[in-house]
Amino acid sequence: MKNLLVAQSGGPTAAINSTLAGVIEKATENNKVDKVYGSLNGIDGVIEETFIDLTQLGESKEKLYLLERTPAAFLGSCRHKLKDYTAEEKLYIDIIEILKKYNIGYFIYIGGNDSMDTVYKLSTYCRINNISDIKFMGAPKTIDNDLAQTDHCPGFGSAAKYIATTVSEIICDSRVYNCPSVTIIEIMGRNTGWLTAASSLARLNNNLGPQLIYLCEKSFDTEKFTSDVKKALEKNITVVIAVSEGLKDANGNYLGESFQSGKKDAFGHKYLAGVGKYLEQIATNNIGCKVRSVELNVMQRCASHIASSIDLQESKNLGRLAVHAALEGKSGEMTSIKRKSNIPYRVEYRTVKIEKVANIEKTVPLEWITPDGNDIVNEMVEYLQPLIQGEVSIPYKKGIPETLFIKKGMIEKA
Amino acid sequence: MKNLLVAQSGGPTAAINSTLAGVIEKATENNKVDKVYGSLNGIDGVIEETFIDLTQLGESKEKLYLLERTPAAFLGSCRHKLKDYTAEEKLYIDIIEILKKYNIGYFIYIGGNDSMDTVYKLSTYCRINNISDIKFMGAPKTIDNDLAQTDHCPGFGSAAKYIATTVSEIICDSRVYNCPSVTIIEIMGRNTGWLTAASSLARLNNNLGPQLIYLCEKSFDTEKFTSDVKKALEKNITVVIAVSEGLKDANGNYLGESFQSGKKDAFGHKYLAGVGKYLEQIATNNIGCKVRSVELNVMQRCASHIASSIDLQESKNLGRLAVHAALEGKSGEMTSIKRKSNIPYRVEYRTVKIEKVANIEKTVPLEWITPDGNDIVNEMVEYLQPLIQGEVSIPYKKGIPETLFIKKGMIEKA
């Protein structure tokens, strides 16, 4: 009987530990797997042999429950992209040797684009070298929702729910004074506007905003922006605007960057402010009412206290399926979601060839952005809405959500 | 039978509408009050006679329930501080005339320092001029927790719960990579560090941070800061630091300000970044590991989806007591909380003379800060902990918290 190894990679999310819980649960309840190991800090942990035994954790329903609700990457993460095996074959040989040493028959890698590239490279290397007793499966994860071959990505729904709720609360906050004001909310997404589009769901609450939404898929014109905001202020005393951090001008330069380029601080460092602060300046200068900017920052990816129930369920299912597929002998594939219908919301789970996922970035279709470029169309709302449904019961202890974590190699809860 | 007028003033919080709900509920269930009016945008709404009839709202349990859970100021707010009556007696005469025109016998003002100053001035003016048939009562509100004569302030507990939870989640997020890093979290509080101190409650979860806490009550030394961070990095791969936005240097200048003073952007505006960005620069320059800063911004005052149950209950009780006291004939007082014990947590409600509250700012006692100035003592934790206890059931609709709001003078829910 073989052992199973699981690892996490890329940016943290509120749902990646739910996928991990799914992997551990499925591997533990199955009599085809002996031990379940977790590699600390992704593929780096494999190279350094920093493994942790998760078999006991898989037998504790209470701990799995906590793990599902713990934000960020329980096993730690890395940003290590393997070079092609022709460039560093020694490393590939080392990795395979370590996996064999621990009798690993199944390696599940939970992550985004780069992580799927790792699964692709390792599985391809093994295929070429006739190593057939280690199966490599990917499970998707990214708040950016930019993976190909899946309707949407685990972690995105929870981030979208945080964004929709928070934007809705900021709208309430922005309306208290009886004077014109503009609030600019900067949302994550360097190259894709999926998360920024999720701000539109705040309208499901009170339909008081956001009035303008700018995604990074369309080039941004500051003059058009100024005119958009002025028009919105004619109809609304308070205008709330959602913008992608990755907004670019017509030449493809990041807005924040062009703002930064000319300015250095006392230490010679570049100005650190992003697109929100940049547009705050533009609006302050050209419009003249009260303007402020808010950056949702890392909270949008780690606010597990307001995770989407649908998201956590799907994330877990994709983890379970990755184990199931590996046990069935699949390798070099990623688990994925296919949407069957919006209303009622129905999906099916499947696996897809990893080479169709690795290194590909799925952006928002341009037809889902209004021709004016300052809003999204209803089809996008219909796509987004099911993903934020349902609330997760959070275990509070002393007034704070309880989590599961690793401290000095030991699994603890508090 | 007289009518009752209620208004809200100052910065929004997650609990001020719970106080409003308490006022409306108590006034409606009481047969001594005829109509309940709300003034839009605080005292400005009185001057402009923009009143809304809240009597029907008071009869709907469902709407009161939603109101309690709606963030920011339902009736709108203002930042209008009345001058002394000797300087603008005409305005005082106008206000009293308007109150008489609407047959107002009780005026309840929910707010912070400045709002209590308004209650003080109006009640004093009436006393001096023998106008005894209008009673003025204040109900406290401020996330800053800086009001005198009350153990703590409504709104503070919910902001503290948001901060403790969010800091705890950011700590999980900050630990995923296996490399040294520093995360600086900027928390509201220009002159008082109560909210920043609440970050200490994140330790109740996993005791992994924050490692350093700097309140604005103690002067801040950047060299000491650098040495503190270096020391913390010797023991922890990831260091999370909570700082008050109002940190000042030994000369009493705001840190952010001194950073800004020399720098202007392309438009000649001052650098907008706050103390978090400033310290991010200091740390990047002097320590050299990965450094980032996070500003909790307005989310800390409007995140009603994670309100403290204790806070909302107390806020409501203080609103109810304000009405009760006014009906009993009290005027020129504020409702307040006196703590009886920490464990079990017990309080009693009372009223205090408003002149002892108006314009006074209650800062953190220096003995609650460690001699080193980079943490708080356990007594502070014991004070804070009861205030974030209990979770509020939030009504979700389509995946987003439902709220009650006024649109074009009409009360709507969605």
Side-chain angles (χ1 to χ4, degrees):
Chain A
M1 203 151 51
K2 294 276 187 182
N3 298 323
L4 182 141
L5 179 68
V6 58
Q8 297 173 306
S9 171
T13 79
I16 186 169
N17 288 332
S18 192
T19 304
L20 177 62
V23 168
I24 300 171
E25 188 184 77
K26 180 75 181 173
T28 311
E29 75 191 22
N30 202 296
N31 55 16
K32 288 180 191 167
V33 174
D34 189 6
K35 282 194 170 172
V36 182
Y37 290 111
S39 163
L40 300 183
N41 300 104
I43 194 69
D44 285 348
V46 180
I47 297 164
E48 290 157 22
E49 288 183 58
T50 48
F51 294 163
I52 184 167
D53 192 334
L54 301 169
T55 319
Q56 268 200 311
L57 170 59
E59 284 155 9
S60 163
K61 274 202 193 319
E62 188 209 348
K63 283 187 181 164
L64 284 175
Y65 177 87
L66 272 183
L67 179 59
E68 279 170 49
R69 284 150 181 80
T70 296
F74 175 74
L75 295 172
S77 181
C78 71
R79 291 255 183 223
H80 185 169
K81 200 164 169 175
L82 294 182
K83 288 180 197 151
D84 198 81
Y85 76 90
T86 53
E88 51 177 4
E89 189 162 8
K90 171 79 175 65
L91 185 64
Y92 283 69
I93 293 169
D94 287 349
I95 290 173
I96 301 302
E97 203 163 286
I98 291 163
L99 295 180
K100 287 191 171 168
K101 178 174 158 189
Y102 285 85
N103 194 30
I104 304 299
Y106 320 99
F107 178 41
I108 314 290
Y109 209 28
I110 312 170
N113 269 322
D114 290 350
S115 320
M116 294 311 126
D117 180 72
T118 300
V119 176
Y120 173 62
K121 282 177 174 153
L122 288 174
S123 60
T124 305
Y125 179 79
C126 284
R127 187 168 43 75
I128 291 168
N129 292 281
N130 294 318
I131 302 162
S132 62
D133 57 349
I134 311 175
K135 308 297 177 191
F136 298 87
M137 281 295 300
K141 170 282 334 172
T142 170
I143 61 161
D144 290 326
N145 201 40
D146 62 355
L147 289 177
Q149 301 290 321
T150 186
D151 176 75
H152 56 277
C153 302
F156 173 69
S158 293
K161 190 180 183 87
Y162 171 84
I163 289 167
T165 297
T166 301
V167 169
S168 151
E169 290 171 340
I170 292 175
I171 288 167
C172 288
D173 187 276
S174 72
R175 293 176 82 242
V176 302
Y177 297 113
N178 194 20
C179 63
S181 74
V182 171
T183 303
I184 298 160
I185 304 174
E186 179 182 324
I187 296 170
M188 277 181 172
R190 290 291 278 177
N191 302 317
T192 63
W194 296 106
L195 285 171
T196 306
S199 68
S200 66
L201 300 176
R203 295 175 185 151
L204 298 173
N205 176 333
N206 53 27
N207 205 22
L208 295 170
Q211 281 77 16
L212 297 164
I213 298 174
Y214 298 94
L215 310 191
C216 53
E217 277 81 358
K218 274 217 172 172
S219 76
F220 185 86
D221 179 337
T222 49
E223 279 183 30
K224 171 74 165 53
F225 167 75
T226 303
S227 127
D228 286 350
V229 179
K230 281 182 180 168
K231 262 187 222 159
L233 277 168
E234 284 167 17
K235 289 187 202 157
N236 309 273
I237 188 160
T238 297
V239 171
V240 174
I241 305 165
V243 299
S244 298
E245 66 170 325
L247 285 182
K248 296 171 204 76
D249 63 22
N251 299 320
N253 298 318
Y254 287 114
L255 283 198
E257 232 165 38
S258 72
F259 188 41
Q260 291 166 28
S261 59
K263 307 303 301 174
K264 290 192 177 181
D265 66 26
F267 309 107
H269 288 118
K270 277 192 180 179
Y271 195 131
L272 291 171
V275 67
K277 282 273 175 240
Y278 174 72
L279 293 176
E280 180 182 330
Q281 287 290 15
I282 298 281
T284 302
N285 212 41
N286 297 326
I287 293 161
C289 69
K290 188 183 156 193
V291 183
R292 65 177 172 187
S293 64
V294 180
E295 195 184 339
L296 298 190
N297 216 309
V298 296
M299 288 80 86
Q300 62 202 295
R301 74 179 184 203
C302 66
S304 56
H305 74 270
I306 190 169
S308 151
S309 171
I310 286 280
D311 184 30
L312 291 204
Q313 281 166 39
E314 291 181 345
S315 298
K316 192 174 181 182
N317 288 341
L318 289 167
R320 290 180 59 90
L321 179 61
V323 175
H324 178 78
L327 291 174
E328 278 200 326
K330 283 187 180 171
S331 190
E333 303 198 14
M334 181 188 83
T335 55
S336 121
I337 295 171
K338 186 174 180 173
R339 190 182 303 217
K340 305 296 281 180
S341 76
N342 284 334
I343 307 170
Y345 177 64
R346 286 193 304 116
V347 298
E348 66 180 30
Y349 301 96
R350 54 177 186 165
T351 62
V352 294
K353 293 283 175 204
I354 204 99
E355 59 264 39
K356 290 184 180 169
V357 182
N359 305 311
I360 297 166
E361 215 168 32
K362 187 175 75 176
T363 54
V364 173
L366 287 181
E367 61 269 27
W368 282 10
I369 302 174
T370 57
D372 236 15
N374 58 19
D375 207 340
I376 56 149
V377 303
N378 197 43
E379 206 178 335
M380 176 71 140
V381 177
E382 286 166 5
Y383 166 83
L384 293 169
Q385 197 176 332
L387 311 182
I388 66 159
Q389 298 309 308
E391 291 70 52
V392 177
S393 69
I394 299 294
Y396 281 86
K397 196 174 163 184
K398 300 180 185 172
I400 307 285
E402 202 177 0
T403 56
L404 199 74
F405 58 95
I406 299 170
K407 197 172 177 178
K408 293 178 185 163
M410 301 298 288
I411 296 170
E412 296 185 23
K413 71 186 172 81
Chain B
M1 206 153 46
K2 294 277 189 181
N3 299 322
L4 182 142
L5 179 67
V6 58
Q8 297 172 306
S9 171
T13 80
I16 185 169
N17 289 330
S18 192
T19 305
L20 177 62
V23 168
I24 299 172
E25 188 184 77
K26 181 75 182 173
T28 311
E29 76 191 21
N30 202 295
N31 56 15
K32 289 181 192 166
V33 175
D34 189 7
K35 282 191 169 172
V36 182
Y37 289 112
S39 164
L40 302 183
N41 298 106
I43 194 69
D44 285 348
V46 180
I47 297 164
E48 290 158 20
E49 288 184 57
T50 48
F51 292 163
I52 185 167
D53 191 335
L54 300 169
T55 319
Q56 268 200 310
L57 171 59
E59 285 155 7
S60 163
K61 273 202 193 319
E62 187 208 350
K63 282 185 181 163
L64 284 175
Y65 177 86
L66 273 183
L67 180 58
E68 280 170 46
R69 285 153 179 79
T70 295
F74 175 73
L75 295 172
S77 182
C78 71
R79 290 255 182 223
H80 185 166
K81 200 166 170 175
L82 294 183
K83 287 179 198 151
D84 198 80
Y85 77 90
T86 52
E88 51 176 4
E89 188 162 8
K90 172 78 175 67
L91 185 64
Y92 283 69
I93 293 169
D94 288 351
I95 289 172
I96 301 302
E97 203 164 285
I98 291 164
L99 294 180
K100 287 190 169 169
K101 179 175 157 190
Y102 286 84
N103 194 30
I104 304 298
Y106 320 98
F107 179 41
I108 315 290
Y109 210 30
I110 312 168
N113 270 321
D114 291 350
S115 320
M116 294 311 126
D117 181 70
T118 300
V119 176
Y120 173 61
K121 282 178 175 153
L122 287 173
S123 61
T124 304
Y125 180 78
C126 285
R127 187 169 42 75
I128 291 168
N129 292 282
N130 293 317
I131 302 162
S132 62
D133 56 348
I134 311 175
K135 308 299 178 193
F136 297 87
M137 281 295 299
K141 170 277 339 169
T142 170
I143 60 161
D144 290 326
N145 202 39
D146 62 356
L147 290 176
Q149 301 291 321
T150 186
D151 177 74
H152 56 278
C153 302
F156 173 69
S158 293
K161 191 180 182 87
Y162 171 86
I163 289 166
T165 299
T166 301
V167 169
S168 151
E169 289 170 340
I170 292 174
I171 289 167
C172 288
D173 187 275
S174 73
R175 293 177 79 242
V176 302
Y177 297 114
N178 194 20
C179 62
S181 74
V182 171
T183 302
I184 298 159
I185 304 175
E186 179 183 325
I187 296 170
M188 278 183 172
R190 291 289 279 176
N191 302 316
T192 61
W194 296 106
L195 285 171
T196 306
S199 68
S200 66
L201 300 176
R203 294 174 186 153
L204 298 173
N205 175 333
N206 53 28
N207 205 21
L208 295 169
Q211 281 77 14
L212 297 164
I213 299 175
Y214 298 94
L215 311 191
C216 52
E217 276 81 357
K218 275 218 172 171
S219 76
F220 185 86
D221 179 335
T222 48
E223 280 183 29
K224 171 74 165 50
F225 168 76
T226 303
S227 127
D228 286 351
V229 179
K230 281 182 180 169
K231 262 186 222 159
L233 276 169
E234 284 168 17
K235 288 187 203 158
N236 309 272
I237 187 160
T238 296
V239 171
V240 173
I241 306 164
V243 299
S244 298
E245 66 171 323
L247 285 182
K248 296 172 204 75
D249 63 22
N251 299 319
N253 298 316
Y254 288 113
L255 283 198
E257 233 165 38
S258 71
F259 187 39
Q260 288 166 30
S261 60
K263 306 303 298 174
K264 290 192 178 183
D265 65 26
F267 308 107
H269 288 118
K270 277 190 178 177
Y271 195 131
L272 291 171
V275 68
K277 283 274 176 239
Y278 173 72
L279 293 176
E280 180 181 330
Q281 287 290 15
I282 299 280
T284 303
N285 211 42
N286 297 329
I287 294 161
C289 68
K290 187 180 157 194
V291 183
R292 66 178 172 185
S293 65
V294 180
E295 195 185 339
L296 298 190
N297 215 307
V298 296
M299 287 80 87
Q300 62 202 295
R301 74 180 184 202
C302 68
S304 56
H305 73 271
I306 189 167
S308 150
S309 171
I310 285 281
D311 184 28
L312 291 203
Q313 282 166 39
E314 291 180 342
S315 299
K316 193 174 182 183
N317 288 341
L318 289 166
R320 291 180 59 91
L321 179 61
V323 175
H324 178 78
L327 291 174
E328 278 201 326
K330 283 188 180 171
S331 190
E333 303 197 15
M334 183 187 83
T335 55
S336 118
I337 295 171
K338 187 173 180 176
R339 190 181 303 217
K340 305 296 282 179
S341 76
N342 284 334
I343 306 168
Y345 177 63
R346 285 193 305 117
V347 297
E348 67 181 26
Y349 301 97
R350 55 176 185 167
T351 62
V352 293
K353 294 283 174 204
I354 204 99
E355 58 265 38
K356 290 184 180 168
V357 182
N359 305 311
I360 297 165
E361 215 167 32
K362 187 175 75 178
T363 54
V364 173
L366 287 180
E367 61 269 26
W368 282 9
I369 302 173
T370 57
D372 236 15
N374 58 19
D375 207 339
I376 56 150
V377 302
N378 198 42
E379 207 178 336
M380 176 72 141
V381 177
E382 286 165 6
Y383 165 83
L384 293 169
Q385 197 175 333
L387 311 181
I388 67 160
Q389 298 309 308
E391 291 70 51
V392 177
S393 68
I394 299 295
Y396 281 86
K397 196 174 163 183
K398 299 179 184 171
I400 307 286
E402 201 177 0
T403 56
L404 198 72
F405 59 95
I406 300 170
K407 198 173 178 179
K408 292 177 185 163
M410 302 295 289
I411 297 169
E412 296 185 24
K413 69 186 174 81

